[in-house]
Amino acid sequence: MVSALTACLAVSLLVFFPDFYPFTSPFTAWRTANQPRPQQASKPVEKWNLHYHLGGNGPWVPKVEGIVDGGIDVPEGCKVEQVHMISRHAERYPTISAGLRMLDLFKRLQEAEEANITLYGDLAFATDWKFFTSTPADHFESLVSTGVYAGTLEAFETGVKLRTRYKDLLDNTLADGPLSFWASDSERVIDTARYFAAGCFGIDWKDLANLHIIPETADLGADTLTPGRTCRRYRENTDEFGHDYGYRMMDAIRSVYEPAIVDRLAEHNPEFLFTEHEIFTMQLMCGFETIAKDASPWCDVFTQEEMESFEYARDVIHYYRAGPGNPYSASLGWLWLNATANLLRDGPEVGQMFFSFVHDGDIIPLLTALDLLPQELELPVMHIARNRTWRTSDVVPMGGRLIFERLSCASQPHCWSNAPFYPNHVYCEEQEDHAFVRLNVNDGIVAIPGCDSGLGSSCPLEEFLYRVLKRGSEIDEFRYICGLEADAADRITFLHQ
């Protein structure tokens, strides 16, 4: 696999990769017509923390905004009886396409040094800056394995966290025999699942659990962890709302904020003018070099406002590529949500722990299907929406995870007496247990909008199931919207113990 990656890198270094041109959204009309690792969430964080503005390209961070007070402890009188986690892969090096752009910039900086061009101001360090990996062909696309933000470490730590948090549930599950868990067929996703398993199940995890690799191929229909790969119309961009829609929208907002940065840097470096594409590459390197080397001088090149503009560009691509701004999104996200809802309905008798590992582009549609970050107005691409609800940096950072818990909570029985005639005769209804669903997003409890009347802002199970059922009736059936054959799989079947 490394040799193939090396060959791809060697050839691709000579190729120029143009970005898409800005594009204005017609989605509103279409829809009308068609209908340092931060501290834990229980502690305050500094007023402005860069790691919360990297748009998913930085280290894992706990969610601290928009969470329920009281932390992640189980509400008094409740117990967790079933757990479902869907997690993004842990911290990685850049993908090949992004990495090649970084190498192109690095090569240009080297040529400037050879031409005795000195950079000044915020870019003074760049004259003799060294690329953050000496073997990019070996590292691109893979988990980072060294440093405080190593993806291998984060995945292992997550496993230990869940082993600690759900110890009794895990012990009961493993006592019943090997536990199944799932990963999409990507090396970094599989490696994340394996390191997680070592932390959660122990170093001999293969004796206790079975990792099932779900192919990322187009032939699986709805029976997949990566619906964006199997939805033909979306994958092949057969209309303007396919996979590339998000990139066009992101380029539109980039064209708004990047020219000013180009001009600012040119004031101190008139001999070395950067392109807008290189500005975005620098902002990407801020996050990726931080992951690889624990810190990055590229982060200091930009002001707080400029990094917030980058964050917004990343929110825009998520929103229009796989989020609420894309008409395919809800149908893609409903698959895993529906399969999980059915397991929550059936309860611990069908299994107590379910763990799935995927990419951020597979979790974003789930947010849409659940309507977890409701955005009243679509994200504009001619200016930054400062008061938006749709913010993804602390939802799908590297290693980002959503955990659905089924809670069993004892009700307070109604009691009465026959006072004043028989004051010592007290009668009570029989105590009953009721089921609720609670959502943990990166170690912060998030209330499901409109469904938070339970203890700890949990959602009564019946209301949750109705919500999922109703959502399914509102969106297009997966096979139909994706243009698949009538005999293609219409649901996920592999999520079972």
Side-chain angles (χ1 to χ4, degrees):
M1 186 171 192
V2 171
S3 60
L5 185 58
T6 303
C8 176
L9 177 60
V11 173
S12 299
L13 275 172
L14 302 177
V15 180
F16 176 67
F17 288 86
D19 283 341
F20 294 101
Y21 289 99
F23 183 76
T24 302
S25 169
F27 177 49
T28 303
W30 184 95
R31 186 167 59 184
T32 301
N34 292 272
Q35 302 292 328
R37 195 175 303 282
Q39 57 265 46
Q40 296 302 306
S42 58
K43 301 177 182 179
V45 296
E46 60 189 60
K47 186 175 181 180
W48 195 88
N49 185 330
L50 174 63
H51 290 189
Y52 285 86
H53 303 279
L54 293 173
N57 289 330
W60 180 86
V61 288
K63 186 164 179 55
V64 295
E65 296 292 338
I67 61 174
V68 174
D69 292 337
I72 62 174
D73 290 341
V74 179
E76 185 176 353
C78 301
K79 65 178 181 179
V80 179
E81 56 182 11
Q82 195 180 59
V83 169
H84 301 264
M85 180 183 76
I86 185 166
S87 173
R88 185 187 181 190
H89 58 74
E91 289 89 338
R92 60 163 171 81
Y93 289 97
T95 59
I96 292 175
S97 59
L100 290 173
R101 291 187 178 93
M102 296 176 191
L103 286 173
D104 284 341
L105 177 58
F106 177 54
K107 180 180 179 181
R108 190 165 174 238
L109 292 171
Q110 288 181 310
E111 292 171 347
E113 183 179 8
E114 293 169 357
N116 293 319
I117 296 176
T118 301
L119 297 176
Y120 299 97
D122 294 332
L123 291 167
F125 75 93
T127 301
D128 56 1
W129 175 76
K130 303 302 180 186
F131 200 69
F132 51 84
T133 170
S134 59
T135 55
D138 296 335
H139 285 156
F140 285 170
E141 307 267 353
S142 301
L143 294 186
V144 174
S145 61
T146 57
V148 297
Y149 300 124
T152 53
L153 176 63
E154 196 280 323
F156 181 84
E157 286 181 339
T158 298
V160 174
K161 278 184 182 180
L162 267 62
R163 180 184 182 91
T164 304
R165 188 179 305 160
Y166 304 116
K167 185 179 185 304
D168 292 341
L169 199 63
L170 180 62
D171 289 345
N172 292 336
T173 298
L174 296 179
D176 293 335
L179 178 149
S180 290
F181 64 118
W182 301 267
S184 68
D185 193 7
S186 165
E187 180 181 10
R188 59 184 177 272
V189 176
I190 296 170
D191 286 346
T192 298
R194 288 170 172 166
Y195 279 99
F196 168 87
C200 190
F201 311 134
I203 197 67
D204 298 320
W205 65 267
K206 290 185 179 179
D207 297 331
L208 302 171
N210 297 320
L211 175 59
H212 301 277
I213 309 301
I214 308 302
E216 295 187 354
T217 54
D219 60 324
L220 297 184
D223 200 11
T224 179
L225 284 175
T226 52
R229 303 292 181 90
T230 65
C231 183
R232 184 184 62 81
R233 288 176 178 161
Y234 176 80
R235 181 186 73 249
E236 297 178 0
N237 294 289
T238 59
D239 58 41
E240 65 264 48
F241 303 111
H243 176 271
D244 292 346
Y245 179 43
Y247 290 95
R248 297 195 301 273
M249 299 302 283
M250 179 181 69
D251 285 347
I253 190 63
R254 283 176 51 189
S255 71
V256 172
Y257 81 86
E258 289 175 347
I261 303 178
V262 171
D263 293 342
R264 179 176 66 81
L265 296 180
E267 292 177 4
H268 293 287
N269 300 279
E271 292 184 87
F272 195 100
L273 301 180
F274 292 96
T275 68
E276 293 177 19
H277 296 319
E278 288 173 332
I279 296 300
F280 194 72
T281 296
M282 294 177 196
Q283 293 183 306
L284 285 173
M285 284 199 295
C286 164
F288 282 109
E289 187 175 38
T290 295
I291 291 173
K293 305 291 287 187
D294 302 345
S296 173
W298 292 105
C299 299
D300 296 328
V301 171
F302 304 100
T303 67
Q304 175 177 320
E305 182 178 355
E306 288 167 351
M307 287 308 299
E308 289 178 352
S309 296
F310 169 78
E311 174 196 10
Y312 184 71
R314 295 293 304 168
D315 285 347
V316 164
I317 189 175
H318 284 310
Y319 185 84
Y320 289 106
R321 183 181 65 183
N326 192 299
Y328 290 97
S329 178
S331 297
L332 272 58
W334 192 77
L335 299 178
W336 190 89
L337 178 62
N338 182 57
T340 298
N342 289 335
L343 294 167
L344 287 165
R345 177 199 62 206
D346 295 340
E349 291 77 13
V350 297
Q352 294 174 299
M353 309 194 89
F354 298 81
F355 305 122
S356 300
F357 296 86
V358 293
H359 305 272
D360 58 349
D362 307 308
I363 296 176
I364 293 293
L366 173 61
L367 304 180
T368 306
L370 194 59
D371 197 21
L372 190 62
L373 300 176
Q375 180 66 35
E376 184 177 348
L377 300 175
E378 291 178 20
L379 296 186
V381 293
M382 298 309 295
H383 67 274
I384 296 172
R386 301 288 181 184
N387 61 345
R388 65 192 180 279
T389 303
W390 183 263
R391 295 177 183 268
T392 54
S393 289
D394 62 353
V395 178
V396 286
M398 302 287 184
R401 54 189 177 268
L402 277 63
I403 299 176
F404 294 80
E405 298 173 334
R406 172 172 162 146
L407 303 178
S408 177
C409 302
S411 63
Q412 292 296 322
H414 174 64
C415 297
W416 69 94
S417 72
N418 288 329
F421 303 105
Y422 300 100
N424 295 326
H425 293 187
V426 178
Y427 306 90
C428 293
E429 296 176 343
E430 185 176 349
Q431 183 170 299
E432 296 182 352
D433 290 339
H434 298 279
F436 299 84
V437 175
R438 190 172 74 149
L439 179 57
N440 179 327
V441 180
N442 296 324
D443 289 357
I445 301 302
V446 175
I448 297 173
C451 192
D452 57 356
S453 61
L455 291 173
S457 295
S458 60
C459 176
L461 176 62
E462 291 302 320
E463 292 184 27
F464 179 81
L465 295 176
Y466 175 75
R467 181 189 186 92
V468 175
L469 181 64
K470 182 174 182 292
R471 193 74 171 108
S473 68
E474 295 170 345
I475 60 178
D476 287 321
E477 196 264 338
F478 184 82
R479 289 182 301 191
Y480 170 75
I481 194 173
C482 293
L484 303 183
E485 300 295 332
D487 60 351
D490 64 349
R491 67 191 64 196
I492 291 176
T493 63
F494 53 79
L495 279 180
H496 58 79
Q497 296 293 354

